[in-house]
Amino acid sequence: MKVLHVYRTCYPETRGGVEQVIRYITQGCQEYGVQSKVLSVSHNDSYSVEVQGTEVILCKADMEIASNSFSFQLFSEFKRLAQWADIIHFHYPWPTGDLLFLFNKDKPSIVTYHSDIIKQKWLKKVYKPLETFFLNNVDAIVATSPQYQKQSPNLLKYCKKTHVIPLAVDPKDYISPDTNWSNDDQYSFLENDYFLFVGVLRYYKGLGYLLDASKKTDATIVIAGDGPLYDELQQRITKENIQNVILTGYISDSEKLKLIANCKAFVFPSHIRSEAFGVSLIEAQMLKKAIISCDISTGTSYVNIHGETGLVVPPGKADSLTNAIEELNRDSQKRSKFGQNGYQRHCHYSR
């Protein structure tokens, strides 16, 4: 079987959660004889690259409106690759992908529904007819958690063809003997006395509230990753003299593993529904870490269960984040219990 994945970004050009998900799907399907290709957009030049047995084809972007990348080259590449594929697997939201669907003549189609469109409300109104046609005509829709299936207005409309398949990671990527700090590691001075956020620094990650929370605790907080909010966060840290927060910027995969493996607990303050799942939550569970997250009626509360695998607090509340950090900071037994429970939960549901 041959499957073409279509999305606006991809690994290794960008390393967000959806990009990791697509990589794990293509990688995991290989053992079942599925050959995959990924069609995406590059903000550099057009090129193709092989990633762990999957060909990734990138078309140079000609324009971008409200995070929606567009390339004229996409259309010719899509027509060519659609002839090769047995199934087209779209990843939503990406309005350009919906437009490409118009050129899909006869191949079965699947869409993994990663998130509602939350922020770009004006674009949503213009885009609505195309979105409706797209979701009406794809053959199957995949929701990434029961919570999102029940809360998304779009998914409720298409419940008869929507299937819940939670996201997962490859456990082999997290079984590494090289998670202890060495003298050469730039963050080894942290030892294991810090709370950690890892992810792309975007508006919906709730990191402003995490900075507010940090000013009410003595615990060290590491914010690892890069993204659109990096400069804004750095300016706040400097201006407000927040001395217990470390903003790392870009980190490698090996640095990410070490930071997660050695933290006290994982903090995920995403506060609005644009955060549909949170793959880094699974990564934390694979390394047996307790989690602090917010209840936003999405997959974050499917992964992290309050009182079992971590603490779930109200969104957008700095005091609630502070209280959760303080609770886990002083209770190592609770951190250990939550971490072990999270690991067992992921192992059970990823079989």
PDB file of all heavy atoms in Angstrom, residues 10 20 23 36 52 59 120 142 153 176 243 245 279 283 292 317 323 329 333:
ATOM      1  N   CYS A  10       6.666  19.890   7.964  1.00  0.00           N
ATOM      2  CA  CYS A  10       7.072  18.496   8.140  1.00  0.00           C
ATOM      3  C   CYS A  10       8.454  18.431   8.775  1.00  0.00           C
ATOM      4  O   CYS A  10       9.224  19.392   8.758  1.00  0.00           O
ATOM      5  CB  CYS A  10       7.064  17.750   6.810  1.00  0.00           C
ATOM      6  SG  CYS A  10       8.319  18.327   5.659  1.00  0.00           S
ATOM      7  N   GLN A  20       6.047  15.593  14.236  1.00  0.00           N
ATOM      8  CA  GLN A  20       6.494  14.353  14.877  1.00  0.00           C
ATOM      9  C   GLN A  20       5.471  13.242  14.689  1.00  0.00           C
ATOM     10  O   GLN A  20       5.822  12.071  14.464  1.00  0.00           O
ATOM     11  CB  GLN A  20       6.726  14.595  16.373  1.00  0.00           C
ATOM     12  CG  GLN A  20       7.866  15.565  16.691  1.00  0.00           C
ATOM     13  CD  GLN A  20       9.220  14.895  16.601  1.00  0.00           C
ATOM     14  OE1 GLN A  20       9.510  14.176  15.656  1.00  0.00           O
ATOM     15  NE2 GLN A  20      10.064  15.133  17.598  1.00  0.00           N
ATOM     16  N   ARG A  23       5.731  11.792  11.260  1.00  0.00           N
ATOM     17  CA  ARG A  23       6.948  10.968  11.193  1.00  0.00           C
ATOM     18  C   ARG A  23       6.721   9.607  11.837  1.00  0.00           C
ATOM     19  O   ARG A  23       7.111   8.560  11.285  1.00  0.00           O
ATOM     20  CB  ARG A  23       8.108  11.695  11.879  1.00  0.00           C
ATOM     21  CG  ARG A  23       9.421  10.916  11.859  1.00  0.00           C
ATOM     22  CD  ARG A  23      10.572  11.803  12.294  1.00  0.00           C
ATOM     23  NE  ARG A  23      10.544  12.120  13.692  1.00  0.00           N
ATOM     24  CZ  ARG A  23      11.239  11.478  14.635  1.00  0.00           C
ATOM     25  NH1 ARG A  23      11.995  10.437  14.302  1.00  0.00           N
ATOM     26  NH2 ARG A  23      11.181  11.842  15.890  1.00  0.00           N
ATOM     27  N   SER A  36       5.255   5.231   2.410  1.00  0.00           N
ATOM     28  CA  SER A  36       4.698   6.570   2.592  1.00  0.00           C
ATOM     29  C   SER A  36       5.561   7.636   1.942  1.00  0.00           C
ATOM     30  O   SER A  36       6.785   7.488   1.831  1.00  0.00           O
ATOM     31  CB  SER A  36       4.557   6.894   4.092  1.00  0.00           C
ATOM     32  OG  SER A  36       3.748   5.960   4.758  1.00  0.00           O
ATOM     33  N   GLN A  52      14.186   8.337   7.458  1.00  0.00           N
ATOM     34  CA  GLN A  52      13.887   7.016   8.021  1.00  0.00           C
ATOM     35  C   GLN A  52      12.992   6.193   7.081  1.00  0.00           C
ATOM     36  O   GLN A  52      11.995   5.622   7.486  1.00  0.00           O
ATOM     37  CB  GLN A  52      13.238   7.171   9.400  1.00  0.00           C
ATOM     38  CG  GLN A  52      14.176   7.798  10.421  1.00  0.00           C
ATOM     39  CD  GLN A  52      13.498   8.135  11.731  1.00  0.00           C
ATOM     40  OE1 GLN A  52      12.453   8.758  11.736  1.00  0.00           O
ATOM     41  NE2 GLN A  52      14.102   7.733  12.829  1.00  0.00           N
ATOM     42  N   CYS A  59       7.871  21.887  -1.335  1.00  0.00           N
ATOM     43  CA  CYS A  59       7.724  22.900  -2.379  1.00  0.00           C
ATOM     44  C   CYS A  59       7.929  24.281  -1.764  1.00  0.00           C
ATOM     45  O   CYS A  59       7.362  24.580  -0.703  1.00  0.00           O
ATOM     46  CB  CYS A  59       6.338  22.822  -3.014  1.00  0.00           C
ATOM     47  SG  CYS A  59       5.950  21.221  -3.749  1.00  0.00           S
ATOM     48  N   GLN A 120      -7.727  32.371  13.918  1.00  0.00           N
ATOM     49  CA  GLN A 120      -7.980  33.107  12.679  1.00  0.00           C
ATOM     50  C   GLN A 120      -9.473  33.096  12.340  1.00  0.00           C
ATOM     51  O   GLN A 120      -9.915  32.472  11.372  1.00  0.00           O
ATOM     52  CB  GLN A 120      -7.167  32.513  11.516  1.00  0.00           C
ATOM     53  CG  GLN A 120      -5.674  32.638  11.706  1.00  0.00           C
ATOM     54  CD  GLN A 120      -5.071  31.452  12.448  1.00  0.00           C
ATOM     55  OE1 GLN A 120      -5.789  30.590  12.913  1.00  0.00           O
ATOM     56  NE2 GLN A 120      -3.755  31.428  12.564  1.00  0.00           N
ATOM     57  N   VAL A 142     -10.124  11.139  11.404  1.00  0.00           N
ATOM     58  CA  VAL A 142      -9.513  10.618  12.630  1.00  0.00           C
ATOM     59  C   VAL A 142      -9.420  11.742  13.652  1.00  0.00           C
ATOM     60  O   VAL A 142      -8.813  12.793  13.380  1.00  0.00           O
ATOM     61  CB  VAL A 142      -8.116  10.041  12.358  1.00  0.00           C
ATOM     62  CG1 VAL A 142      -7.436   9.649  13.669  1.00  0.00           C
ATOM     63  CG2 VAL A 142      -8.204   8.837  11.423  1.00  0.00           C
ATOM     64  N   PRO A 153     -16.992  21.312  17.325  1.00  0.00           N
ATOM     65  CA  PRO A 153     -18.224  21.450  16.530  1.00  0.00           C
ATOM     66  C   PRO A 153     -18.128  20.743  15.177  1.00  0.00           C
ATOM     67  O   PRO A 153     -19.094  20.133  14.730  1.00  0.00           O
ATOM     68  CB  PRO A 153     -18.365  22.971  16.359  1.00  0.00           C
ATOM     69  CG  PRO A 153     -17.620  23.553  17.525  1.00  0.00           C
ATOM     70  CD  PRO A 153     -16.467  22.617  17.748  1.00  0.00           C
ATOM     71  N   SER A 176      17.106   5.034  26.085  1.00  0.00           N
ATOM     72  CA  SER A 176      18.470   5.469  25.768  1.00  0.00           C
ATOM     73  C   SER A 176      19.320   5.456  27.031  1.00  0.00           C
ATOM     74  O   SER A 176      18.895   5.974  28.076  1.00  0.00           O
ATOM     75  CB  SER A 176      18.452   6.884  25.176  1.00  0.00           C
ATOM     76  OG  SER A 176      19.768   7.389  25.066  1.00  0.00           O
ATOM     77  N   GLN A 243      14.483  35.449  37.851  1.00  0.00           N
ATOM     78  CA  GLN A 243      15.773  34.783  37.941  1.00  0.00           C
ATOM     79  C   GLN A 243      15.680  33.257  38.003  1.00  0.00           C
ATOM     80  O   GLN A 243      16.708  32.579  37.890  1.00  0.00           O
ATOM     81  CB  GLN A 243      16.537  35.311  39.159  1.00  0.00           C
ATOM     82  CG  GLN A 243      16.848  36.807  39.047  1.00  0.00           C
ATOM     83  CD  GLN A 243      17.720  37.303  40.181  1.00  0.00           C
ATOM     84  OE1 GLN A 243      18.171  36.528  41.024  1.00  0.00           O
ATOM     85  NE2 GLN A 243      17.962  38.600  40.211  1.00  0.00           N
ATOM     86  N   VAL A 245      13.819  31.337  35.920  1.00  0.00           N
ATOM     87  CA  VAL A 245      13.381  30.787  34.637  1.00  0.00           C
ATOM     88  C   VAL A 245      14.543  30.805  33.651  1.00  0.00           C
ATOM     89  O   VAL A 245      15.219  31.832  33.481  1.00  0.00           O
ATOM     90  CB  VAL A 245      12.198  31.578  34.046  1.00  0.00           C
ATOM     91  CG1 VAL A 245      11.863  31.072  32.631  1.00  0.00           C
ATOM     92  CG2 VAL A 245      10.969  31.443  34.944  1.00  0.00           C
ATOM     93  N   VAL A 279       2.043  16.263  22.094  1.00  0.00           N
ATOM     94  CA  VAL A 279       2.875  15.059  21.983  1.00  0.00           C
ATOM     95  C   VAL A 279       3.955  15.031  23.055  1.00  0.00           C
ATOM     96  O   VAL A 279       4.350  13.959  23.533  1.00  0.00           O
ATOM     97  CB  VAL A 279       3.497  14.975  20.575  1.00  0.00           C
ATOM     98  CG1 VAL A 279       4.480  13.821  20.476  1.00  0.00           C
ATOM     99  CG2 VAL A 279       2.400  14.811  19.522  1.00  0.00           C
ATOM    100  N   GLU A 283       5.928  12.128  25.589  1.00  0.00           N
ATOM    101  CA  GLU A 283       7.373  11.998  25.765  1.00  0.00           C
ATOM    102  C   GLU A 283       7.737  12.030  27.244  1.00  0.00           C
ATOM    103  O   GLU A 283       8.589  11.261  27.705  1.00  0.00           O
ATOM    104  CB  GLU A 283       8.086  13.114  25.007  1.00  0.00           C
ATOM    105  CG  GLU A 283       7.886  13.038  23.501  1.00  0.00           C
ATOM    106  CD  GLU A 283       8.582  14.150  22.764  1.00  0.00           C
ATOM    107  OE1 GLU A 283       8.505  15.313  23.212  1.00  0.00           O
ATOM    108  OE2 GLU A 283       9.217  13.872  21.726  1.00  0.00           O
ATOM    109  N   ILE A 292       2.074  18.410  34.949  1.00  0.00           N
ATOM    110  CA  ILE A 292       1.115  19.459  35.306  1.00  0.00           C
ATOM    111  C   ILE A 292       0.568  20.013  33.997  1.00  0.00           C
ATOM    112  O   ILE A 292       1.332  20.464  33.140  1.00  0.00           O
ATOM    113  CB  ILE A 292       1.777  20.593  36.111  1.00  0.00           C
ATOM    114  CG1 ILE A 292       2.344  20.069  37.432  1.00  0.00           C
ATOM    115  CG2 ILE A 292       0.773  21.725  36.363  1.00  0.00           C
ATOM    116  CD1 ILE A 292       3.235  21.067  38.157  1.00  0.00           C
ATOM    117  N   LYS A 317      -4.576  30.333  34.739  1.00  0.00           N
ATOM    118  CA  LYS A 317      -4.547  30.725  36.149  1.00  0.00           C
ATOM    119  C   LYS A 317      -3.146  30.522  36.713  1.00  0.00           C
ATOM    120  O   LYS A 317      -2.736  29.405  37.009  1.00  0.00           O
ATOM    121  CB  LYS A 317      -5.550  29.895  36.956  1.00  0.00           C
ATOM    122  CG  LYS A 317      -6.982  29.947  36.446  1.00  0.00           C
ATOM    123  CD  LYS A 317      -7.615  31.296  36.691  1.00  0.00           C
ATOM    124  CE  LYS A 317      -9.089  31.286  36.275  1.00  0.00           C
ATOM    125  NZ  LYS A 317      -9.739  32.593  36.461  1.00  0.00           N
ATOM    126  N   ASN A 323       0.592  26.643  42.590  1.00  0.00           N
ATOM    127  CA  ASN A 323       0.222  25.678  43.628  1.00  0.00           C
ATOM    128  C   ASN A 323       0.581  24.252  43.211  1.00  0.00           C
ATOM    129  O   ASN A 323       1.052  23.451  44.028  1.00  0.00           O
ATOM    130  CB  ASN A 323      -1.270  25.773  43.926  1.00  0.00           C
ATOM    131  CG  ASN A 323      -1.657  27.086  44.592  1.00  0.00           C
ATOM    132  OD1 ASN A 323      -0.810  27.758  45.179  1.00  0.00           O
ATOM    133  ND2 ASN A 323      -2.919  27.460  44.492  1.00  0.00           N
ATOM    134  N   ASN A 329       6.817  19.888  44.007  1.00  0.00           N
ATOM    135  CA  ASN A 329       8.190  20.214  44.399  1.00  0.00           C
ATOM    136  C   ASN A 329       8.530  19.654  45.774  1.00  0.00           C
ATOM    137  O   ASN A 329       9.663  19.233  46.024  1.00  0.00           O
ATOM    138  CB  ASN A 329       8.390  21.731  44.378  1.00  0.00           C
ATOM    139  CG  ASN A 329       9.856  22.131  44.378  1.00  0.00           C
ATOM    140  OD1 ASN A 329      10.702  21.424  43.835  1.00  0.00           O
ATOM    141  ND2 ASN A 329      10.157  23.270  44.984  1.00  0.00           N
ATOM    142  N   GLN A 333       7.588  11.492  46.508  1.00  0.00           N
ATOM    143  CA  GLN A 333       6.847  10.231  46.357  1.00  0.00           C
ATOM    144  C   GLN A 333       5.678  10.386  45.385  1.00  0.00           C
ATOM    145  O   GLN A 333       5.402   9.504  44.573  1.00  0.00           O
ATOM    146  CB  GLN A 333       6.349   9.749  47.719  1.00  0.00           C
ATOM    147  CG  GLN A 333       7.464   9.252  48.632  1.00  0.00           C
ATOM    148  CD  GLN A 333       6.930   8.651  49.916  1.00  0.00           C
ATOM    149  OE1 GLN A 333       5.801   8.927  50.325  1.00  0.00           O
ATOM    150  NE2 GLN A 333       7.736   7.816  50.557  1.00  0.00           N
TER     151      GLN A 333
END
